[in-house]
Amino acid sequence: MFDIDWWSLALPFGYIFVLGSSLYVFSTIYRKRKAAESANLAPWFPPHLQKEIYSTLLELDADKDRKTKVPEGVIRAALLRRAVEDIARIIQVRQAKQALNTLLQRGSVGEDLNQRFQRAEKEIEEELKDVVMEANALAPGWGQTIFQSANEIAANTVLRSRIDNIQNKAAAEKEWWEKRRETIQNDFMKELEEEPVKGSAKVSSDDDAVLVDSSTPITTPSKKKKGKK
Amino acid sequence: MAATEEYFDLLPLGLDPATKAVTAPSGASKALHAELAALNNLHRSILTLEVSPQIPPPPIPVNPKRSAQITKLKDGGNDFYRKGKHGEALKMYHLGITMALGRPLWEPQGLVREEVSQLFANRAQAHMALQNWAEGAVDAEASVEAKRAGNAKAWWRRGKCLLEMGRLDEAHEWVGHGLEMEGEEQELLALQQEVVARLEKKSQREEAVIKAGGEKA
């Protein structure tokens, strides 16, 4: 029979044990870290304020202790606002997608950015389904049109804010022009007074050019002033 | 989906019992207040709906009432303008613009752009007739913002206003953009030539002034 010399085998067994346990420790730690990393990935979008408002309103409505019920109109409006924000997010995701893919192919951005993006994409998909379901629950058939309405609301809001920005400049522009016109008028009067004093032919001919130019805007507004009064 | 619905931050919202407006305590963030203002506005415009249940209808078809009123105001303004009553025309256009921008937000924005661009362009024209160059320039810019292509008149009007105010560089740039958008529009080209001529004159004059100054010294 073989007589196993356990003591001489201790070394190889010990080697295998150390190898195996170190691999195990490495893999568990590595996996844990990876999981923690992906859990801690910054979200693509900031918190969904509109969604929180909508959920809070539903909670308020469900709360039976309170006497004031949340009117349905408010809840509908809140859902519509939520849909509008979703539209903005979808547009953002779609625009980012192409750029991100190109960057990924070139290797200019890291994998974690891609993971964040894919999570955002999934979230927005779920969010859309959720909104459609909620809309159908509030009013039958609304789910089909709520995003059309939300789309127009988003576009209209942008348009109005741009036009408002332009129109808000009107007062300042007007003020600037009034001042400017006065200075032009004063310069014009001064030049008229100085005119006979100046003798040099060349300079006065240049001044003539000034007069012709500045007189067109000056004389006409003064006419208008008279006309208004 | 379950994961996202399990938890959310309950916001400190309240409801005004009289107006049914959603309110937040004054300590809340600015963004929340802005959002609630938008929400309450939207709620108010939903309440004006005459359909039951009160949900915003799809963008098309449009309620024809408002369109008819806007067209009426615009035509009224045009009539006044033709008769030379520019002040009255301005009022009409102003009402029309307020009405067009006051459309409920869920109505098609393309329609709003179309109406508003015409009204602003017409109001710019009325301002120009009264020689209010500053207001004319602003209105024409708003018109272009609402409708960039196929709006040569508005491009021309702002260019003209800038020229009249002596803002030659701005006028040059603006009309240049206009020519890019509209192609070789005859009036725009003529205006651009005028602007360039004025610019040249100005630079010549400045040179002369510098020369004269040098001679004196």
Side-chain angles (χ1 to χ4, degrees):
Chain A
M1 282 299 283
F2 297 107
D3 196 11
I4 301 168
D5 183 358
W6 289 104
W7 283 110
S8 62
L9 279 179
L11 195 66
F13 274 123
Y15 172 73
I16 288 171
F17 175 74
V18 169
L19 189 72
S21 58
S22 64
L23 281 178
Y24 173 75
V25 168
F26 173 78
S27 89
T28 43
I29 290 181
Y30 180 76
R31 275 190 207 165
K32 258 187 200 165
R33 280 209 186 148
K34 200 136 202 222
E37 242 172 46
S38 70
N40 286 336
L41 275 183
W44 192 268
F45 291 113
H48 201 316
L49 182 63
Q50 286 78 2
K51 190 174 167 186
E52 283 174 6
I53 290 177
Y54 179 74
S55 312
T56 309
L57 286 175
L58 283 188
E59 284 289 307
L60 284 183
D61 198 40
D63 196 352
K64 276 167 191 156
D65 300 336
R66 291 173 61 94
K67 279 176 189 167
T68 49
K69 281 271 160 194
V70 181
E72 272 197 24
V74 174
I75 291 181
R76 284 183 193 143
L79 186 63
L80 199 53
R81 288 292 308 167
R82 186 175 154 187
V84 172
E85 172 64 21
D86 288 344
I87 291 275
R89 290 184 176 204
I90 295 172
I91 292 173
Q92 221 178 321
V93 163
R94 282 195 192 147
Q95 283 176 346
K97 192 166 189 172
Q98 276 195 333
L100 190 72
N101 281 340
T102 335
L103 287 176
L104 269 177
Q105 275 171 6
R106 284 194 208 145
S108 310
V109 292
E111 180 58 26
D112 58 334
L113 192 71
N114 192 32
Q115 278 183 6
R116 281 174 59 196
F117 181 76
Q118 277 169 355
R119 187 186 295 177
E121 239 183 343
K122 246 181 236 164
E123 263 176 26
I124 196 86
E125 257 172 48
E126 294 296 337
E127 167 70 12
L128 294 190
K129 277 183 209 157
D130 202 27
V131 167
V132 169
M133 266 170 46
E134 296 276 340
N136 279 332
L138 286 178
W142 193 25
Q144 286 168 2
T145 60
I146 182 167
F147 277 109
Q148 289 179 29
S149 304
N151 195 16
E152 295 299 336
I153 291 178
N156 267 316
T157 317
V158 173
L159 173 67
R160 279 173 179 64
S161 72
R162 284 201 188 145
I163 286 182
D164 281 349
N165 279 345
I166 293 175
Q167 286 292 306
N168 286 341
K169 288 191 296 191
E173 291 261 319
K174 195 179 171 188
E175 204 177 312
W176 175 86
W177 172 234
E178 301 276 327
K179 272 184 196 160
R180 170 105 183 121
R181 200 165 57 188
E182 257 174 42
T183 50
I184 292 176
Q185 241 158 352
N186 288 342
D187 287 352
F188 180 54
M189 297 306 280
K190 261 185 212 162
E191 270 165 25
L192 271 186
E193 283 166 15
E194 282 172 13
E195 190 71 355
V197 186
K198 275 183 183 168
S200 156
K202 196 193 165 194
V203 175
S204 69
S205 76
D206 278 336
D207 276 353
D208 269 347
V210 178
L211 293 186
V212 172
D213 260 0
S214 46
S215 67
T216 32
I218 297 166
T219 46
T220 34
S222 58
K223 252 188 223 162
K224 168 211 128 191
K225 267 186 189 169
K226 279 172 201 162
K228 260 191 178 172
K229 279 167 193 172
Chain B
M1 193 158 71
T4 54
E5 268 186 344
E6 265 169 16
Y7 134 92
F8 64 91
D9 291 333
L10 207 61
L11 295 165
L13 297 182
L15 205 63
D16 191 325
T19 58
K20 301 290 177 205
V22 185
T23 54
S26 52
S29 71
K30 227 178 193 179
L32 180 60
H33 279 292
E35 174 53 36
L36 287 183
L39 170 63
N40 288 327
N41 277 339
L42 187 62
H43 179 219
R44 249 172 272 138
S45 54
I46 285 183
L47 284 184
T48 59
L49 281 171
E50 284 158 2
V51 290
S52 171
Q54 282 186 324
I55 54 165
I60 300 166
V62 184
N63 182 1
K65 265 188 206 164
R66 197 182 277 261
S67 307
Q69 273 171 323
I70 292 168
T71 318
K72 213 169 149 191
L73 283 168
K74 193 178 79 191
D75 292 345
N78 290 350
D79 280 347
F80 277 124
Y81 182 83
R82 253 178 252 124
K83 286 176 196 158
K85 294 178 182 170
H86 304 307
E88 304 288 319
L90 274 186
K91 266 181 215 157
M92 289 302 235
Y93 292 140
H94 179 74
L95 282 177
I97 288 168
T98 320
M99 189 142 239
L101 287 181
R103 271 183 188 281
L105 287 174
W106 53 80
E107 291 190 4
Q109 60 127 357
L111 182 68
V112 178
R113 276 178 187 274
E114 190 66 34
E115 287 169 349
V116 161
S117 74
Q118 281 182 12
L119 283 162
F120 270 125
N122 288 2
R123 197 168 80 172
Q125 192 182 23
H127 274 308
M128 285 169 76
L130 291 171
Q131 313 221 324
N132 298 336
W133 305 118
E135 289 96 322
V138 170
D139 277 351
E141 191 185 355
S143 171
V144 167
E145 177 60 52
K147 191 182 166 201
R148 287 196 164 265
N151 202 358
K153 275 184 194 165
W155 284 103
W156 185 84
R157 280 173 197 161
R158 178 165 167 86
K160 182 75 181 164
C161 286
L162 291 174
L163 180 67
E164 291 290 344
M165 288 193 285
R167 291 152 74 168
L168 300 178
D169 292 325
E170 273 177 77
H172 189 253
E173 196 185 337
W174 176 263
V175 181
H177 282 311
L179 282 170
E180 274 170 28
M181 290 300 299
E182 303 292 339
E184 306 289 291
E185 192 74 26
Q186 205 59 41
E187 286 186 329
L188 275 175
L189 276 178
L191 184 64
Q192 186 69 320
Q193 279 162 6
E194 200 180 329
V195 173
V196 169
R198 286 272 302 265
L199 271 171
E200 275 170 10
K201 225 184 201 173
K202 196 182 154 198
S203 64
Q204 274 174 12
R205 207 160 59 220
E206 273 162 7
E207 271 172 31
V209 169
I210 291 166
K211 249 190 209 169
E215 276 169 18
K216 266 182 201 169

